[in-house]
PDB file of all heavy atoms in Angstrom:
ATOM      1  N   GLY A 455      -5.995  -2.742  -7.293  1.00 98.00           N
ATOM      2  CA  GLY A 455      -6.925  -3.843  -7.131  1.00 98.00           C
ATOM      3  C   GLY A 455      -8.354  -3.336  -7.052  1.00 98.00           C
ATOM      4  O   GLY A 455      -8.617  -2.129  -7.166  1.00 98.00           O
ATOM      5  N   THR A 456      -9.289  -4.256  -6.814  1.00 98.00           N
ATOM      6  CA  THR A 456     -10.710  -3.923  -6.828  1.00 98.00           C
ATOM      7  C   THR A 456     -11.340  -4.156  -5.462  1.00 98.00           C
ATOM      8  O   THR A 456     -11.155  -5.202  -4.848  1.00 98.00           O
ATOM      9  CB  THR A 456     -11.448  -4.781  -7.875  1.00 98.00           C
ATOM     10  OG1 THR A 456     -10.782  -4.667  -9.136  1.00 98.00           O
ATOM     11  CG2 THR A 456     -12.882  -4.313  -8.036  1.00 98.00           C
ATOM     12  N   ASN A 457     -12.089  -3.135  -5.017  1.00 98.00           N
ATOM     13  CA  ASN A 457     -12.841  -3.195  -3.763  1.00 98.00           C
ATOM     14  C   ASN A 457     -11.935  -3.429  -2.554  1.00 98.00           C
ATOM     15  O   ASN A 457     -12.053  -4.444  -1.851  1.00 98.00           O
ATOM     16  CB  ASN A 457     -13.925  -4.263  -3.831  1.00 98.00           C
ATOM     17  CG  ASN A 457     -14.923  -4.148  -2.686  1.00 98.00           C
ATOM     18  OD1 ASN A 457     -14.960  -3.153  -1.971  1.00 98.00           O
ATOM     19  ND2 ASN A 457     -15.718  -5.189  -2.512  1.00 98.00           N
ATOM     20  N   PRO A 458     -11.041  -2.480  -2.260  1.00 98.00           N
ATOM     21  CA  PRO A 458     -10.195  -2.630  -1.070  1.00 98.00           C
ATOM     22  C   PRO A 458     -11.034  -2.617   0.200  1.00 98.00           C
ATOM     23  O   PRO A 458     -11.810  -1.697   0.442  1.00 98.00           O
ATOM     24  CB  PRO A 458      -9.256  -1.418  -1.143  1.00 98.00           C
ATOM     25  CG  PRO A 458      -9.993  -0.411  -1.972  1.00 98.00           C
ATOM     26  CD  PRO A 458     -10.785  -1.213  -2.964  1.00 98.00           C
ATOM     27  N   GLY A 459     -10.878  -3.674   1.011  1.00 97.00           N
ATOM     28  CA  GLY A 459     -11.684  -3.807   2.210  1.00 97.00           C
ATOM     29  C   GLY A 459     -10.924  -3.640   3.501  1.00 97.00           C
ATOM     30  O   GLY A 459     -11.513  -3.478   4.564  1.00 97.00           O
ATOM     31  N   GLY A 460      -9.606  -3.708   3.456  1.00 98.00           N
ATOM     32  CA  GLY A 460      -8.774  -3.535   4.640  1.00 98.00           C
ATOM     33  C   GLY A 460      -7.561  -2.703   4.290  1.00 98.00           C
ATOM     34  O   GLY A 460      -7.102  -2.703   3.138  1.00 98.00           O
ATOM     35  N   ILE A 461      -7.019  -1.985   5.279  1.00 98.00           N
ATOM     36  CA  ILE A 461      -5.859  -1.136   5.035  1.00 98.00           C
ATOM     37  C   ILE A 461      -4.998  -1.103   6.290  1.00 98.00           C
ATOM     38  O   ILE A 461      -5.506  -1.181   7.416  1.00 98.00           O
ATOM     39  CB  ILE A 461      -6.294   0.294   4.633  1.00 98.00           C
ATOM     40  CG1 ILE A 461      -5.094   1.119   4.145  1.00 98.00           C
ATOM     41  CG2 ILE A 461      -7.028   1.004   5.766  1.00 98.00           C
ATOM     42  CD1 ILE A 461      -5.500   2.426   3.457  1.00 98.00           C
ATOM     43  N   VAL A 462      -3.685  -1.017   6.089  1.00 98.00           N
ATOM     44  CA  VAL A 462      -2.745  -0.891   7.197  1.00 98.00           C
ATOM     45  C   VAL A 462      -1.600   0.003   6.754  1.00 98.00           C
ATOM     46  O   VAL A 462      -1.217   0.011   5.570  1.00 98.00           O
ATOM     47  CB  VAL A 462      -2.227  -2.280   7.641  1.00 98.00           C
ATOM     48  CG1 VAL A 462      -1.361  -2.933   6.574  1.00 98.00           C
ATOM     49  CG2 VAL A 462      -1.484  -2.194   8.962  1.00 98.00           C
ATOM     50  N   ALA A 463      -1.066   0.798   7.685  1.00 98.00           N
ATOM     51  CA  ALA A 463       0.118   1.619   7.450  1.00 98.00           C
ATOM     52  C   ALA A 463       1.316   0.936   8.093  1.00 98.00           C
ATOM     53  O   ALA A 463       1.250   0.530   9.261  1.00 98.00           O
ATOM     54  CB  ALA A 463      -0.072   3.020   8.028  1.00 98.00           C
ATOM     55  N   ALA A 464       2.399   0.791   7.333  1.00 97.00           N
ATOM     56  CA  ALA A 464       3.604   0.134   7.842  1.00 97.00           C
ATOM     57  C   ALA A 464       4.773   0.509   6.947  1.00 97.00           C
ATOM     58  O   ALA A 464       4.592   0.743   5.745  1.00 97.00           O
ATOM     59  CB  ALA A 464       3.419  -1.381   7.860  1.00 97.00           C
ATOM     60  N   ASP A 465       5.974   0.548   7.506  1.00 97.00           N
ATOM     61  CA  ASP A 465       7.166   0.818   6.706  1.00 97.00           C
ATOM     62  C   ASP A 465       7.627  -0.489   6.080  1.00 97.00           C
ATOM     63  O   ASP A 465       8.415  -1.238   6.649  1.00 97.00           O
ATOM     64  CB  ASP A 465       8.266   1.423   7.584  1.00 97.00           C
ATOM     65  CG  ASP A 465       9.505   1.789   6.797  1.00 97.00           C
ATOM     66  OD1 ASP A 465       9.474   1.695   5.549  1.00 97.00           O
ATOM     67  OD2 ASP A 465      10.522   2.162   7.420  1.00 97.00           O
ATOM     68  N   LEU A 466       7.146  -0.767   4.878  1.00 97.00           N
ATOM     69  CA  LEU A 466       7.362  -2.066   4.249  1.00 97.00           C
ATOM     70  C   LEU A 466       8.696  -2.173   3.525  1.00 97.00           C
ATOM     71  O   LEU A 466       9.210  -3.276   3.343  1.00 97.00           O
ATOM     72  CB  LEU A 466       6.214  -2.356   3.277  1.00 97.00           C
ATOM     73  CG  LEU A 466       4.828  -2.436   3.921  1.00 97.00           C
ATOM     74  CD1 LEU A 466       3.752  -2.552   2.847  1.00 97.00           C
ATOM     75  CD2 LEU A 466       4.744  -3.598   4.902  1.00 97.00           C
ATOM     76  N   ASP A 467       9.252  -1.046   3.079  1.00 96.00           N
ATOM     77  CA  ASP A 467      10.537  -1.093   2.387  1.00 96.00           C
ATOM     78  C   ASP A 467      11.691  -0.651   3.278  1.00 96.00           C
ATOM     79  O   ASP A 467      12.826  -0.537   2.827  1.00 96.00           O
ATOM     80  CB  ASP A 467      10.506  -0.258   1.104  1.00 96.00           C
ATOM     81  CG  ASP A 467      10.035   1.174   1.352  1.00 96.00           C
ATOM     82  OD1 ASP A 467       9.836   1.543   2.523  1.00 96.00           O
ATOM     83  OD2 ASP A 467       9.863   1.912   0.363  1.00 96.00           O
ATOM     84  N   VAL A 468      11.425  -0.416   4.543  1.00 95.00           N
ATOM     85  CA  VAL A 468      12.436  -0.108   5.560  1.00 95.00           C
ATOM     86  C   VAL A 468      13.266   1.107   5.158  1.00 95.00           C
ATOM     87  O   VAL A 468      14.487   1.115   5.272  1.00 95.00           O
ATOM     88  CB  VAL A 468      13.338  -1.339   5.836  1.00 95.00           C
ATOM     89  CG1 VAL A 468      14.027  -1.207   7.198  1.00 95.00           C
ATOM     90  CG2 VAL A 468      12.555  -2.629   5.813  1.00 95.00           C
ATOM     91  N   ASP A 469      12.570   2.152   4.670  1.00 94.00           N
ATOM     92  CA  ASP A 469      13.273   3.376   4.288  1.00 94.00           C
ATOM     93  C   ASP A 469      12.954   4.532   5.230  1.00 94.00           C
ATOM     94  O   ASP A 469      13.366   5.664   4.982  1.00 94.00           O
ATOM     95  CB  ASP A 469      12.932   3.763   2.848  1.00 94.00           C
ATOM     96  CG  ASP A 469      11.476   4.189   2.671  1.00 94.00           C
ATOM     97  OD1 ASP A 469      10.668   3.969   3.599  1.00 94.00           O
ATOM     98  OD2 ASP A 469      11.148   4.730   1.593  1.00 94.00           O
ATOM     99  N   GLY A 470      12.219   4.251   6.304  1.00 93.00           N
ATOM    100  CA  GLY A 470      11.887   5.296   7.257  1.00 93.00           C
ATOM    101  C   GLY A 470      10.633   6.062   6.933  1.00 93.00           C
ATOM    102  O   GLY A 470      10.258   6.969   7.685  1.00 93.00           O
ATOM    103  N   LEU A 471       9.949   5.717   5.844  1.00 96.00           N
ATOM    104  CA  LEU A 471       8.692   6.362   5.474  1.00 96.00           C
ATOM    105  C   LEU A 471       7.554   5.357   5.567  1.00 96.00           C
ATOM    106  O   LEU A 471       7.717   4.197   5.170  1.00 96.00           O
ATOM    107  CB  LEU A 471       8.763   6.908   4.039  1.00 96.00           C
ATOM    108  CG  LEU A 471       9.774   8.005   3.750  1.00 96.00           C
ATOM    109  CD1 LEU A 471       9.823   8.292   2.249  1.00 96.00           C
ATOM    110  CD2 LEU A 471       9.429   9.276   4.518  1.00 96.00           C
ATOM    111  N   PRO A 472       6.396   5.764   6.059  1.00 97.00           N
ATOM    112  CA  PRO A 472       5.268   4.834   6.116  1.00 97.00           C
ATOM    113  C   PRO A 472       4.726   4.531   4.732  1.00 97.00           C
ATOM    114  O   PRO A 472       4.611   5.413   3.877  1.00 97.00           O
ATOM    115  CB  PRO A 472       4.235   5.582   6.959  1.00 97.00           C
ATOM    116  CG  PRO A 472       4.574   7.020   6.782  1.00 97.00           C
ATOM    117  CD  PRO A 472       6.058   7.092   6.614  1.00 97.00           C
ATOM    118  N   ASP A 473       4.407   3.275   4.512  1.00 98.00           N
ATOM    119  CA  ASP A 473       3.759   2.810   3.300  1.00 98.00           C
ATOM    120  C   ASP A 473       2.333   2.377   3.658  1.00 98.00           C
ATOM    121  O   ASP A 473       1.951   2.352   4.831  1.00 98.00           O
ATOM    122  CB  ASP A 473       4.542   1.645   2.692  1.00 98.00           C
ATOM    123  CG  ASP A 473       6.026   1.966   2.546  1.00 98.00           C
ATOM    124  OD1 ASP A 473       6.350   2.950   1.852  1.00 98.00           O
ATOM    125  OD2 ASP A 473       6.855   1.245   3.150  1.00 98.00           O
ATOM    126  N   LEU A 474       1.539   2.046   2.652  1.00 98.00           N
ATOM    127  CA  LEU A 474       0.186   1.559   2.860  1.00 98.00           C
ATOM    128  C   LEU A 474       0.004   0.227   2.156  1.00 98.00           C
ATOM    129  O   LEU A 474       0.595  -0.010   1.094  1.00 98.00           O
ATOM    130  CB  LEU A 474      -0.846   2.558   2.325  1.00 98.00           C
ATOM    131  CG  LEU A 474      -0.910   3.927   2.993  1.00 98.00           C
ATOM    132  CD1 LEU A 474      -1.861   4.847   2.224  1.00 98.00           C
ATOM    133  CD2 LEU A 474      -1.352   3.805   4.447  1.00 98.00           C
ATOM    134  N   ALA A 475      -0.817  -0.641   2.734  1.00 98.00           N
ATOM    135  CA  ALA A 475      -1.189  -1.896   2.076  1.00 98.00           C
ATOM    136  C   ALA A 475      -2.696  -2.061   2.178  1.00 98.00           C
ATOM    137  O   ALA A 475      -3.296  -1.774   3.224  1.00 98.00           O
ATOM    138  CB  ALA A 475      -0.483  -3.083   2.721  1.00 98.00           C
ATOM    139  N   THR A 476      -3.304  -2.510   1.086  1.00 98.00           N
ATOM    140  CA  THR A 476      -4.750  -2.757   1.073  1.00 98.00           C
ATOM    141  C   THR A 476      -5.029  -4.193   0.656  1.00 98.00           C
ATOM    142  O   THR A 476      -4.340  -4.755  -0.201  1.00 98.00           O
ATOM    143  CB  THR A 476      -5.489  -1.805   0.109  1.00 98.00           C
ATOM    144  OG1 THR A 476      -5.037  -2.029  -1.241  1.00 98.00           O
ATOM    145  CG2 THR A 476      -5.265  -0.353   0.499  1.00 98.00           C
ATOM    146  N   ALA A 477      -6.050  -4.778   1.277  1.00 98.00           N
ATOM    147  CA  ALA A 477      -6.559  -6.092   0.889  1.00 98.00           C
ATOM    148  C   ALA A 477      -7.730  -5.868  -0.056  1.00 98.00           C
ATOM    149  O   ALA A 477      -8.741  -5.271   0.338  1.00 98.00           O
ATOM    150  CB  ALA A 477      -6.997  -6.873   2.119  1.00 98.00           C
ATOM    151  N   ASN A 478      -7.595  -6.320  -1.297  1.00 98.00           N
ATOM    152  CA  ASN A 478      -8.565  -6.024  -2.350  1.00 98.00           C
ATOM    153  C   ASN A 478      -9.488  -7.222  -2.566  1.00 98.00           C
ATOM    154  O   ASN A 478      -9.091  -8.246  -3.123  1.00 98.00           O
ATOM    155  CB  ASN A 478      -7.826  -5.662  -3.640  1.00 98.00           C
ATOM    156  CG  ASN A 478      -6.815  -4.556  -3.415  1.00 98.00           C
ATOM    157  OD1 ASN A 478      -7.099  -3.561  -2.749  1.00 98.00           O
ATOM    158  ND2 ASN A 478      -5.614  -4.721  -3.967  1.00 98.00           N
ATOM    159  N   GLN A 479     -10.745  -7.068  -2.131  1.00 98.00           N
ATOM    160  CA  GLN A 479     -11.646  -8.206  -2.022  1.00 98.00           C
ATOM    161  C   GLN A 479     -12.003  -8.837  -3.365  1.00 98.00           C
ATOM    162  O   GLN A 479     -11.992 -10.058  -3.521  1.00 98.00           O
ATOM    163  CB  GLN A 479     -12.928  -7.762  -1.304  1.00 98.00           C
ATOM    164  CG  GLN A 479     -12.676  -7.267   0.117  1.00 98.00           C
ATOM    165  CD  GLN A 479     -13.922  -6.701   0.751  1.00 98.00           C
ATOM    166  OE1 GLN A 479     -14.676  -7.424   1.395  1.00 98.00           O
ATOM    167  NE2 GLN A 479     -14.160  -5.413   0.560  1.00 98.00           N
ATOM    168  N   ASP A 480     -12.332  -8.022  -4.361  1.00 98.00           N
ATOM    169  CA  ASP A 480     -12.857  -8.575  -5.606  1.00 98.00           C
ATOM    170  C   ASP A 480     -11.781  -9.012  -6.588  1.00 98.00           C
ATOM    171  O   ASP A 480     -12.080  -9.750  -7.545  1.00 98.00           O
ATOM    172  CB  ASP A 480     -13.780  -7.557  -6.285  1.00 98.00           C
ATOM    173  CG  ASP A 480     -15.058  -7.326  -5.503  1.00 98.00           C
ATOM    174  OD1 ASP A 480     -15.291  -8.044  -4.504  1.00 98.00           O
ATOM    175  OD2 ASP A 480     -15.825  -6.400  -5.860  1.00 98.00           O
ATOM    176  N   SER A 481     -10.543  -8.578  -6.386  1.00 98.00           N
ATOM    177  CA  SER A 481      -9.455  -8.999  -7.276  1.00 98.00           C
ATOM    178  C   SER A 481      -8.522 -10.000  -6.614  1.00 98.00           C
ATOM    179  O   SER A 481      -7.533 -10.421  -7.227  1.00 98.00           O
ATOM    180  CB  SER A 481      -8.661  -7.782  -7.761  1.00 98.00           C
ATOM    181  OG  SER A 481      -8.274  -6.944  -6.688  1.00 98.00           O
ATOM    182  N   ALA A 482      -8.807 -10.393  -5.378  1.00 98.00           N
ATOM    183  CA  ALA A 482      -8.048 -11.426  -4.664  1.00 98.00           C
ATOM    184  C   ALA A 482      -6.558 -11.127  -4.649  1.00 98.00           C
ATOM    185  O   ALA A 482      -5.725 -11.989  -4.942  1.00 98.00           O
ATOM    186  CB  ALA A 482      -8.317 -12.806  -5.277  1.00 98.00           C
ATOM    187  N   ASP A 483      -6.237  -9.901  -4.292  1.00 98.00           N
ATOM    188  CA  ASP A 483      -4.831  -9.533  -4.215  1.00 98.00           C
ATOM    189  C   ASP A 483      -4.603  -8.477  -3.143  1.00 98.00           C
ATOM    190  O   ASP A 483      -5.547  -7.963  -2.527  1.00 98.00           O
ATOM    191  CB  ASP A 483      -4.299  -9.066  -5.578  1.00 98.00           C
ATOM    192  CG  ASP A 483      -5.129  -7.965  -6.222  1.00 98.00           C
ATOM    193  OD1 ASP A 483      -5.757  -7.174  -5.498  1.00 98.00           O
ATOM    194  OD2 ASP A 483      -5.155  -7.891  -7.469  1.00 98.00           O
ATOM    195  N   LEU A 484      -3.348  -8.196  -2.909  1.00 98.00           N
ATOM    196  CA  LEU A 484      -2.924  -7.168  -1.964  1.00 98.00           C
ATOM    197  C   LEU A 484      -2.101  -6.139  -2.707  1.00 98.00           C
ATOM    198  O   LEU A 484      -1.230  -6.486  -3.513  1.00 98.00           O
ATOM    199  CB  LEU A 484      -2.108  -7.780  -0.827  1.00 98.00           C
ATOM    200  CG  LEU A 484      -1.506  -6.775   0.163  1.00 98.00           C
ATOM    201  CD1 LEU A 484      -1.684  -7.251   1.599  1.00 98.00           C
ATOM    202  CD2 LEU A 484      -0.028  -6.499  -0.117  1.00 98.00           C
ATOM    203  N   SER A 485      -2.389  -4.871  -2.443  1.00 98.00           N
ATOM    204  CA  SER A 485      -1.621  -3.776  -3.028  1.00 98.00           C
ATOM    205  C   SER A 485      -0.756  -3.138  -1.965  1.00 98.00           C
ATOM    206  O   SER A 485      -1.229  -2.853  -0.854  1.00 98.00           O
ATOM    207  CB  SER A 485      -2.556  -2.709  -3.616  1.00 98.00           C
ATOM    208  OG  SER A 485      -3.342  -3.231  -4.650  1.00 98.00           O
ATOM    209  N   ALA A 486       0.500  -2.908  -2.291  1.00 98.00           N
ATOM    210  CA  ALA A 486       1.414  -2.176  -1.422  1.00 98.00           C
ATOM    211  C   ALA A 486       1.756  -0.861  -2.100  1.00 98.00           C
ATOM    212  O   ALA A 486       2.266  -0.842  -3.225  1.00 98.00           O
ATOM    213  CB  ALA A 486       2.678  -2.984  -1.156  1.00 98.00           C
ATOM    214  N   LEU A 487       1.435   0.237  -1.434  1.00 98.00           N
ATOM    215  CA  LEU A 487       1.685   1.572  -1.948  1.00 98.00           C
ATOM    216  C   LEU A 487       2.874   2.160  -1.206  1.00 98.00           C
ATOM    217  O   LEU A 487       2.854   2.298   0.024  1.00 98.00           O
ATOM    218  CB  LEU A 487       0.466   2.480  -1.759  1.00 98.00           C
ATOM    219  CG  LEU A 487      -0.717   2.279  -2.714  1.00 98.00           C
ATOM    220  CD1 LEU A 487      -1.419   0.949  -2.470  1.00 98.00           C
ATOM    221  CD2 LEU A 487      -1.709   3.420  -2.557  1.00 98.00           C
ATOM    222  N   ARG A 488       3.902   2.487  -1.965  1.00 98.00           N
ATOM    223  CA  ARG A 488       5.119   3.009  -1.349  1.00 98.00           C
ATOM    224  C   ARG A 488       4.937   4.470  -0.974  1.00 98.00           C
ATOM    225  O   ARG A 488       4.413   5.277  -1.744  1.00 98.00           O
ATOM    226  CB  ARG A 488       6.294   2.865  -2.308  1.00 98.00           C
ATOM    227  CG  ARG A 488       7.612   3.261  -1.661  1.00 98.00           C
ATOM    228  CD  ARG A 488       8.771   3.182  -2.615  1.00 98.00           C
ATOM    229  NE  ARG A 488       9.973   3.682  -1.974  1.00 98.00           N
ATOM    230  CZ  ARG A 488      11.009   4.213  -2.619  1.00 98.00           C
ATOM    231  NH1 ARG A 488      10.970   4.302  -3.929  1.00 98.00           N
ATOM    232  NH2 ARG A 488      12.049   4.647  -1.958  1.00 98.00           N
ATOM    233  N   GLY A 489       5.372   4.813   0.249  1.00 97.00           N
ATOM    234  CA  GLY A 489       5.371   6.198   0.678  1.00 97.00           C
ATOM    235  C   GLY A 489       6.461   6.985  -0.026  1.00 97.00           C
ATOM    236  O   GLY A 489       7.634   6.608  -0.002  1.00 97.00           O
ATOM    237  N   LEU A 490       6.065   8.085  -0.665  1.00 96.00           N
ATOM    238  CA  LEU A 490       7.005   8.905  -1.432  1.00 96.00           C
ATOM    239  C   LEU A 490       7.499  10.103  -0.634  1.00 96.00           C
ATOM    240  O   LEU A 490       8.350  10.847  -1.113  1.00 96.00           O
ATOM    241  CB  LEU A 490       6.334   9.393  -2.724  1.00 96.00           C
ATOM    242  CG  LEU A 490       5.746   8.314  -3.626  1.00 96.00           C
ATOM    243  CD1 LEU A 490       5.043   8.945  -4.819  1.00 96.00           C
ATOM    244  CD2 LEU A 490       6.820   7.336  -4.076  1.00 96.00           C
ATOM    245  N   GLY A 491       6.959  10.287   0.571  1.00 96.00           N
ATOM    246  CA  GLY A 491       7.260  11.467   1.365  1.00 96.00           C
ATOM    247  C   GLY A 491       6.130  12.470   1.254  1.00 96.00           C
ATOM    248  O   GLY A 491       5.375  12.501   0.271  1.00 96.00           O
ATOM    249  N   ALA A 492       5.987  13.297   2.281  1.00 97.00           N
ATOM    250  CA  ALA A 492       4.972  14.349   2.331  1.00 97.00           C
ATOM    251  C   ALA A 492       3.552  13.795   2.249  1.00 97.00           C
ATOM    252  O   ALA A 492       2.632  14.505   1.845  1.00 97.00           O
ATOM    253  CB  ALA A 492       5.205  15.387   1.231  1.00 97.00           C
ATOM    254  N   GLY A 493       3.387  12.521   2.592  1.00 98.00           N
ATOM    255  CA  GLY A 493       2.055  11.930   2.608  1.00 98.00           C
ATOM    256  C   GLY A 493       1.529  11.504   1.264  1.00 98.00           C
ATOM    257  O   GLY A 493       0.321  11.284   1.119  1.00 98.00           O
ATOM    258  N   ALA A 494       2.398  11.361   0.266  1.00 98.00           N
ATOM    259  CA  ALA A 494       2.002  10.899  -1.067  1.00 98.00           C
ATOM    260  C   ALA A 494       2.391   9.434  -1.236  1.00 98.00           C
ATOM    261  O   ALA A 494       3.355   8.950  -0.620  1.00 98.00           O
ATOM    262  CB  ALA A 494       2.664  11.743  -2.146  1.00 98.00           C
ATOM    263  N   PHE A 495       1.664   8.732  -2.122  1.00 98.00           N
ATOM    264  CA  PHE A 495       1.859   7.290  -2.280  1.00 98.00           C
ATOM    265  C   PHE A 495       1.716   6.885  -3.743  1.00 98.00           C
ATOM    266  O   PHE A 495       1.030   7.545  -4.524  1.00 98.00           O
ATOM    267  CB  PHE A 495       0.833   6.512  -1.436  1.00 98.00           C
ATOM    268  CG  PHE A 495       0.975   6.763   0.036  1.00 98.00           C
ATOM    269  CD1 PHE A 495       0.325   7.836   0.631  1.00 98.00           C
ATOM    270  CD2 PHE A 495       1.786   5.963   0.814  1.00 98.00           C
ATOM    271  CE1 PHE A 495       0.477   8.094   1.986  1.00 98.00           C
ATOM    272  CE2 PHE A 495       1.948   6.216   2.160  1.00 98.00           C
ATOM    273  CZ  PHE A 495       1.290   7.278   2.753  1.00 98.00           C
ATOM    274  N   ALA A 496       2.368   5.783  -4.094  1.00 98.00           N
ATOM    275  CA  ALA A 496       2.248   5.217  -5.441  1.00 98.00           C
ATOM    276  C   ALA A 496       2.326   3.704  -5.335  1.00 98.00           C
ATOM    277  O   ALA A 496       3.048   3.159  -4.484  1.00 98.00           O
ATOM    278  CB  ALA A 496       3.352   5.740  -6.352  1.00 98.00           C
ATOM    279  N   ILE A 497       1.610   3.007  -6.220  1.00 97.00           N
ATOM    280  CA  ILE A 497       1.616   1.544  -6.213  1.00 97.00           C
ATOM    281  C   ILE A 497       3.027   1.031  -6.481  1.00 97.00           C
ATOM    282  O   ILE A 497       3.696   1.458  -7.421  1.00 97.00           O
ATOM    283  CB  ILE A 497       0.665   0.996  -7.289  1.00 97.00           C
ATOM    284  CG1 ILE A 497      -0.774   1.435  -7.020  1.00 97.00           C
ATOM    285  CG2 ILE A 497       0.743  -0.528  -7.343  1.00 97.00           C
ATOM    286  CD1 ILE A 497      -1.706   1.144  -8.171  1.00 97.00           C
ATOM    287  N   ASP A 498       3.464   0.102  -5.638  1.00 96.00           N
ATOM    288  CA  ASP A 498       4.770  -0.520  -5.828  1.00 96.00           C
ATOM    289  C   ASP A 498       4.636  -2.006  -6.151  1.00 96.00           C
ATOM    290  O   ASP A 498       5.336  -2.524  -7.008  1.00 96.00           O
ATOM    291  CB  ASP A 498       5.629  -0.330  -4.575  1.00 96.00           C
ATOM    292  CG  ASP A 498       7.119  -0.474  -4.842  1.00 96.00           C
ATOM    293  OD1 ASP A 498       7.487  -0.642  -6.021  1.00 96.00           O
ATOM    294  OD2 ASP A 498       7.908  -0.419  -3.891  1.00 96.00           O
ATOM    295  N   VAL A 499       3.732  -2.684  -5.457  1.00 96.00           N
ATOM    296  CA  VAL A 499       3.569  -4.131  -5.606  1.00 96.00           C
ATOM    297  C   VAL A 499       2.090  -4.474  -5.549  1.00 96.00           C
ATOM    298  O   VAL A 499       1.348  -3.916  -4.736  1.00 96.00           O
ATOM    299  CB  VAL A 499       4.319  -4.888  -4.488  1.00 96.00           C
ATOM    300  CG1 VAL A 499       3.946  -6.366  -4.483  1.00 96.00           C
ATOM    301  CG2 VAL A 499       5.828  -4.740  -4.636  1.00 96.00           C
TER     302      VAL A 499
END
């Protein structure tokens, strides 16, 4: 998304790894980044 203005860490897929979510101000959407382990992340939703 564009211009992320807020962020939170949470286990969103209930796999025991922390994920990240950002509120993207200019694209009016939310991105959920899945935790891949070892502190790495990739866009999931």
Side-chain angles (χ1 to χ4, degrees):
T456 308
N457 193 13
I461 190 168
V462 67
D465 183 7
L466 298 173
D467 53 6
V468 200
D469 67 348
L471 297 173
D473 310 301
L474 296 173
T476 63
N478 307 315
Q479 298 174 90
D480 292 353
S481 50
D483 53 29
L484 175 136
S485 298
L487 284 69
R488 186 183 175 206
L490 305 177
F495 297 87
I497 298 169
D498 201 4
V499 170

